Amino acid sequence: MMLGKFSFLKNGKSEKKEQVFSDAHRVPEHVAIIMDGNGRWAQRRGLPRIAGHREALKTIKKITNEAQRLGVKVLTLYAFSTENWKRPKTEVEFLMKLPEQFLNSYLVELIENNVQVRVMGDMARIPAHTIRAVNQAIEKTKKNSGLVLNFALNYGSHAEIVEAVRSLVRDALDHKIEPDSIDEQLLSERMLSPLLPDPDLLIRTGGEIRLSNFMLWQMAYTELYFTEIYWPDFSESDLRTAIFEFSTRQRRYGGIKEERNGDK
Ligand code: V0D
């Protein structure tokens, strides 16, 4: 039954598309992606690593469109980690031009598609030209009500948690909060993603099977999906496969919940 429901997606027949969207629990609300394998994709073709990063931008655009089409509400993409500064200076400089390249190519279309661009991470070390481009995109799309396209930029989960704790301790020392009032909710609110739901599905491309300091707090209950496919090769149908796999896991969980709780 579910296979049927998803197989029509491949031919994109719109009459049945409705059914999937009305069955919202089968589509993850928030998908997070670790877009790995770009350098290896390029090297395998005898190209410099940066050619892979450039190709990665096209994949972001394709996957953003498909995610929106499928009814995903938030797409978080791991663009640059706090550990990525260890890469050669020339590669880092190239990477810092990618937000501008991406936005020059696609911002107009993102605006037309009602996408909201957001960024989470420590902007302190990001070059001014990059920040300018990113802020402009955030500003120009902030009133949009469609898919939230959230880039993790100079992001690290441990640093995020440390910052959240510091801000709570400051408030406690200022007698703004009681130490005993600190709970999961309060800590969540000090994270960099306070207004977003936690990711339902994490996809990591490129064959590594680890989280690499990505949204550790937020991913306590996230379904994890790993694929060998390099990010530049990751296609719309690969996204549908990942979401289909997610929906089968959800369905099993739902079954147990149904037995226990009746309705929900
Ligand atoms: C390189 C693969 C989009 C992973 C994707 C500065 C690494 C391509 C952005 C981007 C990067 C960021 C913010 C924004 C719009 C676009 C990006 C970086 C790297 C690091 F508002 N791709 N991308 N940023 N890569």
Side-chain angles (χ1 to χ4, degrees):
M1 185 170 72
M2 284 250 286
L3 265 168
K5 279 199 174 180
F6 269 80
S7 55
F8 59 68
L9 278 175
K10 286 186 178 137
N11 8 340
K13 295 243 171 80
S14 57
E15 17 142 332
K16 291 197 176 177
K17 207 160 80 180
E18 297 293 318
Q19 277 182 289
V20 158
F21 291 145
S22 66
D23 237 345
H25 67 278
R26 288 188 176 155
V27 175
E29 194 180 355
H30 184 174
V31 176
I33 307 184
I34 301 176
M35 306 176 287
D36 205 3
N38 303 293
R40 280 171 287 151
W41 177 92
Q43 280 166 338
R44 198 169 262 200
R45 285 170 167 69
L47 300 168
R49 287 173 54 80
I50 57 172
H53 298 316
R54 201 178 299 123
E55 193 67 21
L57 302 185
K58 295 183 198 161
T59 308
I60 293 177
K61 188 60 195 18
K62 276 192 307 190
I63 295 305
T64 301
N65 280 348
E66 183 65 4
Q68 187 161 36
R69 195 182 76 81
L70 294 171
V72 172
K73 298 284 189 294
V74 183
L75 183 63
T76 295
L77 303 176
Y78 205 1
F80 194 87
S81 79
T82 47
E83 286 73 38
N84 286 154
W85 295 106
K86 294 178 201 149
R87 294 191 182 177
K89 190 165 169 265
T90 52
E91 187 175 335
V92 170
E93 280 171 4
F94 179 87
L95 289 171
M96 289 304 157
K97 292 182 186 139
L98 290 175
E100 286 142 286
Q101 280 190 26
F102 178 83
L103 296 166
N104 285 340
S105 303
Y106 301 122
L107 183 58
V108 169
E109 201 183 326
L110 292 172
I111 292 170
E112 279 170 10
N113 290 346
N114 198 23
V115 170
Q116 305 170 60
V117 176
R118 298 204 200 156
V119 169
M120 64 173 187
D122 181 4
M123 292 300 116
R125 278 182 76 183
I126 303 292
H129 65 92
T130 312
I131 293 181
R132 228 176 288 127
V134 165
N135 281 343
Q136 203 177 55
I138 294 169
E139 187 60 32
K140 283 187 174 166
T141 61
K142 71 178 181 199
K143 295 213 171 78
N144 288 353
S145 56
L147 179 87
V148 173
L149 179 57
N150 182 37
F151 288 98
L153 190 53
N154 196 21
Y155 174 89
S157 197
H158 285 177
E160 176 187 40
I161 294 167
V162 168
E163 264 315 309
V165 169
R166 279 186 187 152
S167 106
L168 289 176
V169 171
R170 268 188 233 111
D171 282 1
L173 290 174
D174 289 348
H175 305 286
K176 289 179 189 155
I177 56 168
E178 285 292 322
D180 287 343
S181 76
I182 297 174
D183 57 9
E184 294 178 18
Q185 179 66 29
L186 209 53
L187 192 54
S188 290
E189 287 166 7
R190 305 293 169 111
M191 297 290 167
L192 294 168
S193 57
L195 299 171
L196 301 176
D198 289 340
D200 302 292
L201 171 64
L202 169 80
I203 298 171
R204 181 172 188 150
T205 62
E208 307 294 345
I209 305 182
R210 53 174 172 263
L211 296 180
S212 299
N213 202 19
F214 188 44
M215 300 185 86
L216 300 180
W217 172 267
Q218 295 88 341
M219 295 212 291
Y221 296 103
T222 301
E223 296 289 338
L224 308 179
Y225 182 88
F226 298 95
T227 171
E228 300 271 328
I229 301 168
Y230 294 148
W231 176 250
D233 290 328
F234 193 76
S235 69
E236 289 94 335
S237 97
D238 294 322
L239 179 68
R240 291 193 296 268
T241 301
I243 290 179
F244 174 72
E245 161 85 25
F246 167 86
S247 75
T248 64
R249 295 186 203 172
Q250 284 297 98
R251 192 169 62 159
R252 266 186 235 122
Y253 183 59
I256 291 162
K257 265 169 87 178
E258 253 162 35
E259 268 174 49
R260 283 184 187 158
N261 302 335
D263 276 356
K264 296 241 159 147

